[in-house]
Amino acid sequence: LLGDCLSSFASCFPIAFFEPEFNGNNKHASNISQLSPEANDVMTNVARTVPHLTKVISDIEEHSEARIKYEDVPHVVEVILPCVCSYLPYWWSVGPQRTKQSNELKVTNVTVEHMNSVLGSVLKLINNNIDAPEAPWMKRIAGYTQGIILNSSTSLLEPYFLPVSQRLKAKCEDLYAQEQSLKHATRLESSEREDLEANLMKNYEILVRDLYAFGPLLIKYVDMHRSYWLKNGDLCADQLYNNMAEVFSTWCKSKYFKREELNFVSQHEIDNTSMLMPSGTNQSNAAGANSSDGSAMKSANEVSNGSAVGGKLKRKKRRLDKEKFTSLSVACIKRLLPIGMNMFGGREQELVQLAKHKMIDTKSAHDEKIENPTEEQMILDLTSDQEETIEEFLRDIFFAQEQGEVVNRNNWQSALYRKIGSKSHQTGIVHSQATSIKNMLKMAKVLFGLNLVDHPPTHNRGTWRKLVSSQRKKAIMAC
């Protein structure tokens, strides 16, 4: 609560209180010599207790470098960091890098370098606390850090963003391996299985917490620099995509991952829309503030209709929020998808699309044979046999094109893609045929997973649920 109050205070207070040397140039600052002796003493004591901006930023950097436990210095994360993250964007907007007239008096010295330094420390804190059992601040850090990411530089990708994505990828692979071993362990006792399952669910909950600390920052960072990476190319950006693609792949295959993310969002009342698009949310809030009279009148009318109507509206809103829920893993991979596709040339992109459509047809044909699918059968992924079939299909087409055979002579896009050639001519990196097929298969699986997320498969079990209501089910069972 104290950190939230200081954050709001720092975003609107008209004096740069972390930089007292510029108070003489600020028209809102009071001249201490003109105050009464009592007020002079109070202001002097306040000035002694407030540290300088450089000292505050150095404390945050030392905290992230020294791997100090949260319990030892909780004020750094809970109080100082929210205040600094609101202070820096506010004063950068009137700082030397934004002032057009050079003859104006300086009121602050906040620059982009200050924000990049704090953002790097925040990402290092997140990286140090991934998989930590007790880190409650990880659930809130993305909310007040997004303000300083709007002026971040591309140099933060390799030392800060990439290590966090690698840690998340490794954690996903480890947890999914545990999930598969638990699934195939048939000789365990019921109590032992329950303990292992509870421990696995707890680890997935921690993974979701870590993802929600890193994901919103990653999305904003990618939105800012995606066009630069697409024009110039960056191996670190390609690796970032590959790491987050593995996270998304685990989300598609794991039933515990999806369940724990939905529980996490519901428990902490997280609004993914406001988290992913704070600018649009702020605009809507501003618009709501401008029309506060009409909104207040509408709210008063709704309250006057009675508590029963209010309860129905709340239940309806919860249902709508659940229907509109978008996984953060899906949002991250959608933002990074152009970077992943940019790793392939035109001919390779055509093969990726062919493999994706083959996966969709294979999955649809398999699901039509199942009348009452289980939870494992409804997972958004292919079986190992189906994946081998797709890989063989992709290999045959790839070799046919390598030998000059035409897959579709009447398709002008195929001829154009063959003229474009491979991406290796632009990047200078030549992959073997096996590596190229493996990379194209991974890309096709990501597109296949996104297609199933946007267009979920329909089963006979879901159809019966729509046709038969719960009251009719009870009546049928009673007979």
Side-chain angles (χ1 to χ4, degrees):
L1 181 60
L2 178 58
D4 295 336
C5 293
L6 286 177
S7 176
S8 301
F9 173 79
S11 63
C12 62
F13 193 64
I15 299 175
F17 53 88
F18 280 137
E19 301 167 281
E21 66 270 18
F22 297 108
N23 288 350
N25 301 335
N26 195 325
K27 63 180 180 179
H28 300 287
S30 300
N31 190 352
I32 299 180
S33 61
Q34 298 179 357
L35 299 177
S36 62
E38 294 80 5
N40 195 350
D41 294 339
V42 171
M43 295 299 296
T44 303
N45 293 331
V46 170
R48 291 174 181 173
T49 56
V50 178
H52 196 271
L53 180 62
T54 55
K55 177 67 168 58
V56 171
I57 294 178
S58 64
D59 289 343
I60 297 175
E61 292 177 351
E62 291 177 4
H63 180 73
S64 62
E65 292 286 349
R67 295 177 177 264
I68 303 175
K69 292 183 179 180
Y70 166 79
E71 294 81 5
D72 297 335
V73 282
H75 66 279
V76 175
V77 176
E78 299 287 0
V79 179
I80 297 178
L81 197 56
C83 182
V84 171
C85 290
S86 294
Y87 179 92
L88 292 178
Y90 177 79
W91 288 104
W92 174 83
S93 61
V94 295
Q97 295 179 339
R98 296 281 291 177
T99 304
K100 297 180 180 179
Q101 299 180 4
S102 59
N103 57 354
E104 292 183 2
L105 296 177
K106 255 190 195 183
V107 294
T108 181
N109 199 29
V110 174
T111 60
V112 172
E113 286 72 20
H114 292 105
M115 287 187 276
N116 286 336
S117 176
V118 175
L119 180 59
S121 300
V122 169
L123 291 170
K124 193 170 291 186
L125 280 173
I126 295 175
N127 191 26
N128 294 340
N129 288 272
I130 284 181
D131 203 22
E134 295 295 334
W137 57 270
M138 293 271 280
K139 305 172 186 177
R140 304 181 294 270
I141 194 169
Y144 53 76
T145 314
Q146 293 189 25
I148 63 175
I149 206 171
L150 299 178
N151 297 287
S152 59
S153 64
T154 55
S155 61
L156 297 175
L157 174 60
E158 184 176 3
Y160 299 111
F161 280 92
L162 198 56
V164 180
S165 65
Q166 290 172 347
R167 291 283 304 277
L168 290 175
K169 171 191 171 183
K171 184 62 180 177
C172 286
E173 293 175 346
D174 181 44
L175 289 182
Y176 185 69
Q178 295 180 25
E179 183 177 349
Q180 289 299 103
S181 62
L182 179 63
K183 177 182 176 181
H184 297 294
T186 57
R187 297 185 178 182
L188 293 176
E189 297 182 358
S190 59
S191 59
E192 187 178 358
R193 178 177 290 274
E194 289 177 359
D195 294 339
L196 291 176
E197 187 174 3
N199 185 41
L200 183 62
M201 293 173 63
K202 179 65 175 177
N203 291 332
Y204 267 114
E205 181 184 357
I206 296 175
L207 174 63
V208 171
R209 179 207 66 191
D210 298 339
L211 181 62
Y212 271 75
F214 175 67
L217 303 181
L218 175 65
I219 287 175
K220 293 300 172 187
Y221 188 74
V222 171
D223 286 344
M224 288 184 57
H225 304 294
R226 180 172 51 237
S227 59
Y228 173 80
W229 294 330
L230 292 176
K231 292 178 182 178
N232 301 284
D234 194 326
L235 295 178
C236 293
D238 298 342
Q239 192 174 355
L240 178 67
Y241 163 79
N242 290 328
N243 293 338
M244 298 310 296
E246 290 296 330
V247 175
F248 172 72
S249 177
T250 305
W251 180 87
C252 290
K253 296 182 290 186
S254 172
K255 62 178 182 180
Y256 294 106
F257 200 165
K258 298 188 188 73
R259 187 186 304 168
E260 291 304 320
E261 182 178 7
L262 188 58
N263 292 340
F264 182 85
V265 171
S266 303
Q267 179 181 358
H268 299 284
E269 299 180 354
I270 297 175
D271 185 5
N272 277 10
T273 305
S274 62
M275 180 180 291
L276 303 180
M277 296 181 294
S279 57
T281 306
N282 293 339
Q283 291 174 2
S284 62
N285 291 340
N290 294 335
S291 59
S292 59
D293 296 338
S295 301
M297 187 179 299
K298 183 178 179 181
S299 301
N301 292 334
E302 289 178 355
V303 172
S304 63
N305 290 334
S307 60
V309 178
K312 291 181 180 179
L313 291 175
K314 289 181 180 180
R315 287 193 295 272
K316 183 177 180 181
K317 183 178 183 299
R318 281 196 295 267
R319 287 197 298 269
L320 291 175
D321 292 342
K322 189 175 180 180
E323 292 174 359
K324 295 178 182 178
F325 168 74
T326 301
S327 171
L328 195 58
S329 302
V330 177
C332 289
I333 200 62
K334 282 186 176 180
R335 305 297 177 94
L336 288 164
L337 194 61
I339 299 172
M341 291 297 292
N342 195 48
M343 292 188 291
F344 302 97
R347 182 172 63 90
E348 295 166 343
Q349 290 185 14
E350 182 194 19
L351 295 179
V352 168
Q353 293 295 334
L354 288 174
K356 167 200 165 185
H357 291 299
K358 184 69 174 178
M359 291 178 181
I360 295 174
D361 295 339
T362 303
K363 181 71 173 176
S364 301
H366 179 264
D367 291 343
E368 287 177 358
K369 301 177 183 178
I370 305 175
E371 294 184 358
N372 296 313
T374 61
E375 189 174 4
E376 286 78 10
Q377 292 172 334
M378 295 179 65
I379 290 176
L380 307 179
D381 194 34
L382 299 172
T383 62
S384 57
D385 296 336
Q386 292 172 345
E387 190 172 335
E388 290 177 0
T389 303
I390 300 299
E391 185 175 358
E392 184 178 356
F393 166 79
L394 187 60
R395 186 183 296 107
D396 293 341
I397 298 180
F398 183 80
F399 288 155
Q401 290 193 358
E402 285 289 327
Q403 296 173 3
E405 300 178 11
V406 181
V407 178
N408 187 355
R409 295 179 182 273
N410 298 324
N411 192 347
W412 63 270
Q413 291 180 342
S414 299
L416 178 62
Y417 286 153
R418 285 192 301 276
K419 290 181 180 179
I420 294 175
S422 176
K423 195 74 176 179
S424 60
H425 298 293
Q426 303 176 18
T427 59
I429 301 175
V430 180
H431 296 290
S432 63
Q433 292 180 350
T435 304
S436 299
I437 293 173
K438 184 179 179 181
N439 293 335
M440 287 186 286
L441 185 63
K442 287 182 178 180
M443 189 72 222
K445 288 183 66 176
V446 171
L447 295 176
F448 166 71
L450 289 175
N451 182 80
L452 291 184
V453 170
D454 295 333
H455 308 283
T458 57
H459 299 277
N460 292 335
R461 184 173 69 172
T463 305
W464 279 107
R465 282 180 175 176
K466 293 180 180 178
L467 292 176
V468 182
S469 63
S470 58
Q471 289 82 3
R472 290 184 179 180
K473 285 182 181 179
K474 292 180 181 178
I476 292 172
M477 297 302 295
C479 295

